[in-house]
């Protein structure tokens, strides 16, 4: 009932306030989210986490308590639970070769979350699965052949001729990469409707704390699980309700920074190392990147504070640095900060959780809301992915 009511409300708003999408430009026609059932409150995380992994080191406890405060996260959703640890106690054993067990958990969970997010998205869209022509599937949390794209297609009942594209192990910018490719598909295949899904769990990266690997504790305090789904298409029909035009996309990497975000898959799962210079590298290069995107709006008078913003929050330091560097008003990154509070860093999904919050804010403002905005995400490479978007 709530989803139906929201769709009706959106269509009512659209009739009186909608801007017209540019002919041939890709638009976001619907958005859905899904989460595992296990909700982790940051207030209870330290005691629960240390109990599950049987750790009584006071220095690790103190460090984790500090991180839980500095991340600003309040709640997260996780596939990992006490039941998981009871079934797979070896996950809490340092050096244990557990990649088989981790993939056994992750492969199933990732597709299930993608399925639930897709159903929510398709319901909001209002058309049948038979009208989906392409699938773009994004995940850094599973690994198998065939991939989750095939399992998801079968579970949803998509045509066996649906055109599939799969992205593995792009990390936090994967959602924006998927959206960029979905845009290209939609704009170059008239009448196509692309289902884009992202789905992530931190099961592969879950490890017992080790003083030699301080970043493992950052992950324990910051990362969350979940899934998102979008329907993307150009030239919307009268029955469709687009809320965002994907006007222009840009990707770039920073030469010589491949080691700043480093992830390695081994018998123990996936391990990450983050260089302390990451926030500064982003801050040093973000202004030029944003100006390239804004220039495509064709309005020389458009200032950065005239835009709405959807920025993947790798952590508070990245948002703080970006806000300072670009001289943004505090409210400009509020949707990004609130997504971090509500979901943690959910990797490739997070940009879509933010876009959903941006959508809600723009709906409140009506025609008085910002027309143009930027969507940004950063990840291994260091890679920048960006979108110039237009609110409809």
């Amino acid at each position: 009932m709530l989803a139906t009511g929201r769709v009706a409300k959106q269509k009512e708003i659209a009739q009186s306030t909608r801007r017209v999408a540019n002919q041939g430009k890709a638009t976001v026609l619907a958005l859905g989210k899904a989460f595992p059932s296990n909700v982790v409150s940051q207030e209870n995380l330290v005691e629960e986490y240390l109990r599950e992994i049987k750790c009584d080191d006071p220095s690790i406890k103190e460090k984790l308590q500090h991180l839980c405060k500095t991340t600003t996260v309040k709640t997260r959703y996780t596939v990992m639970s006490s039941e998981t640890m009871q079934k797979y106690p070896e996950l809490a054993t340092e050096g244990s070769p557990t990649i088989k067990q981790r993939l056994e958990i992750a492969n199933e969970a990732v597709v299930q979350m993608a399925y639930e997010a897709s159903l929510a998205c398709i319901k909001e869209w209002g058309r049948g699965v038979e009208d989906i022509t392409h699938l773009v599937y994004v995940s850094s949390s599973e690994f198998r052949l065939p991939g989750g794209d095939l399992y998801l297609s079968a579970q949803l009942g998509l045509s066996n001729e649906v055109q599939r594209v799969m992205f593995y192990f792009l990390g936090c910018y994967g959602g924006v990469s998927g959206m960029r490719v979905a845009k290209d598909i939609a704009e170059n295949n008239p009448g196509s409707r692309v289902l884009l899904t992202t789905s992530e769990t931190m099961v592969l990266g879950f490890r017992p704390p080790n003083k030699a690997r301080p970043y493992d504790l950052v992950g324990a305090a910051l990362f969350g699980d979940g899934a998102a789904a979008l329907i993307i298409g150009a030239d919307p029909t009268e029955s469709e309700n687009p809320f965002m035009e994907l006007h222009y996309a840009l990707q770039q990497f920073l030469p010589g920074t491949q080691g700043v975000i480093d992830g390695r898959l081994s018998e123990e799962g996936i391990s990450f190392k983050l260089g302390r210079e990451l926030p500064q590298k982003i801050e040093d290069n973000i202004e030029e990147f944003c100006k390239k995107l804004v220039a495509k709006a064709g309005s020389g008078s458009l200032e950065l504070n005239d835009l709405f913003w959807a920025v993947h929050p790798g952590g508070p330091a990245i948002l703080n640095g970006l806000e300072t560097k670009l001289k943004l008003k505090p409210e400009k990154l509020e949707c990004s900060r609130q997504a971090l509070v509500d979901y943690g860093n959910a990797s490739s999904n997070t940009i879509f959780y933010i876009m959903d919050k941006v959508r809600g804010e723009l709906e409140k403002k009506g025609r008085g809301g910002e027309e143009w905005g930027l969507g940004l995400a950063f990840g291994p490479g260091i890679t920048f992915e960006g979108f110039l978007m237009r609110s409809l």
Side-chain angles (χ1 to χ4, degrees):
M1 288 296 292
L2 289 174
T4 303
R6 178 170 187 176
V7 171
K9 181 181 178 182
Q10 288 172 344
K11 289 185 176 180
E12 181 181 341
I13 292 171
Q15 289 175 356
S16 59
T17 65
R18 175 185 286 176
R19 297 183 181 96
V20 178
N22 286 300
Q23 186 174 6
K25 284 286 186 183
T27 61
V28 181
L29 302 169
L31 187 154
K33 308 189 296 288
F35 303 95
S37 58
N38 190 42
V39 184
V40 176
S41 168
Q42 206 79 335
E43 291 182 359
N44 305 321
L45 171 70
V46 176
E47 297 297 336
E48 292 179 1
Y49 174 74
L50 296 179
R51 183 174 63 250
E52 292 291 351
I53 61 173
K54 299 178 174 59
C55 175
D56 56 6
D57 187 323
S59 65
I60 287 178
K61 181 177 182 179
E62 183 180 357
K63 176 69 172 175
L64 186 56
Q65 286 173 330
H66 174 72
L67 287 169
C68 284
K69 293 178 182 178
T70 58
T71 60
T72 73
V73 178
K74 297 297 183 186
T75 55
R76 288 173 294 157
Y77 298 83
T78 66
V79 169
M80 293 289 290
S81 64
S82 57
E83 290 78 14
T84 307
M85 296 304 297
Q86 289 169 11
K87 184 176 181 181
Y88 302 98
E90 59 271 29
L91 295 179
T93 303
E94 180 69 32
S96 179
T98 52
I99 188 63
K100 179 181 178 181
Q101 294 92 318
R102 293 170 189 272
L103 289 174
E104 187 176 301
I105 300 165
N107 288 344
E108 180 180 350
V110 165
V111 171
Q112 182 60 31
M113 291 188 294
Y115 173 71
E116 292 172 8
S118 297
L119 288 182
C121 182
I122 292 166
K123 183 176 182 180
E124 181 181 297
W125 180 38
R127 293 175 59 177
V129 294
E130 65 275 6
D131 292 335
I132 295 172
T133 58
H134 298 73
L135 171 66
V136 178
Y137 182 92
V138 180
S139 182
S140 297
S141 304
E142 66 156 280
F143 191 77
R144 56 179 165 175
L145 297 173
D149 60 320
L150 186 74
Y151 291 99
L152 178 62
S153 298
Q155 207 165 329
L156 287 171
L158 302 183
S159 165
N160 66 345
E161 295 183 354
V162 68
Q163 305 297 292
R164 310 187 321 271
V165 178
M166 182 170 60
F167 288 116
Y168 268 178
F169 291 100
L170 296 185
C172 293
Y173 70 85
V176 187
S177 292
M179 194 160 60
R180 173 170 50 82
V181 171
K183 167 183 166 64
D184 287 346
I185 292 171
E187 292 178 353
N188 288 282
N189 295 270
S192 62
R193 290 296 179 264
V194 185
L195 172 62
L196 165 63
T197 67
T198 58
S199 189
E200 307 286 6
T201 173
M202 300 304 129
V203 169
L204 294 186
F206 176 86
R207 303 177 81 181
N210 186 312
K211 291 179 181 179
R213 300 191 311 270
Y215 187 68
D216 289 350
L217 284 181
V218 177
L222 180 65
F223 290 115
D225 301 348
L230 280 69
I231 297 288
I232 294 172
D235 301 320
T237 65
E238 288 187 5
S239 67
E240 293 174 318
N241 187 33
F243 66 91
M244 200 76 72
E245 180 181 288
L246 303 177
H247 196 77
Y248 179 75
L250 180 65
Q251 183 198 70
Q252 73 173 46
F253 69 91
L254 305 182
T257 64
Q258 293 93 326
V260 177
I261 305 174
D262 186 77
R264 303 294 172 96
L265 192 64
S266 72
E267 293 86 351
E268 298 176 52
I270 191 166
S271 60
F272 289 100
K273 291 182 181 179
L274 271 188
R276 292 183 178 274
E277 66 270 36
L278 176 61
Q280 190 61 52
K281 290 287 186 184
I282 293 174
E283 188 175 334
D284 291 344
N285 292 276
I286 191 61
E287 186 170 10
E288 181 183 357
F289 185 75
C290 290
K291 286 181 177 179
K292 289 178 182 178
L293 287 165
V294 173
K296 295 298 181 177
S299 173
S301 61
L302 202 59
E303 300 291 339
L304 295 182
N305 275 302
D306 297 330
L307 309 172
F308 61 84
W309 290 78
V311 181
H312 173 84
I318 290 175
L319 294 179
N320 294 341
L322 191 146
E323 182 177 286
T324 301
K325 179 69 174 182
L326 301 180
K327 299 180 175 63
L328 296 179
K329 297 175 183 177
E331 64 268 21
K332 290 298 176 179
L333 297 182
E334 182 56 30
C335 289
S336 298
R337 295 187 188 279
Q338 193 58 49
L340 185 61
V341 169
D342 294 343
Y343 308 113
N345 180 341
S347 193
S348 65
N349 304 309
T350 317
I351 189 67
F352 303 128
Y353 301 161
I354 300 167
M355 284 176 62
D356 195 37
K357 290 182 180 295
V358 169
R359 167 168 64 167
E361 290 301 311
L362 292 172
E363 283 176 1
K364 294 176 187 176
K365 296 177 182 179
R367 283 299 289 262
E370 299 92 335
E371 179 176 2
W372 294 96
L374 294 185
L376 305 172
F378 318 101
I382 298 170
T383 299
F384 284 30
E385 281 275 12
F387 255 96
L388 175 67
M389 300 183 286
R390 182 168 164 261
S391 175
L392 300 176

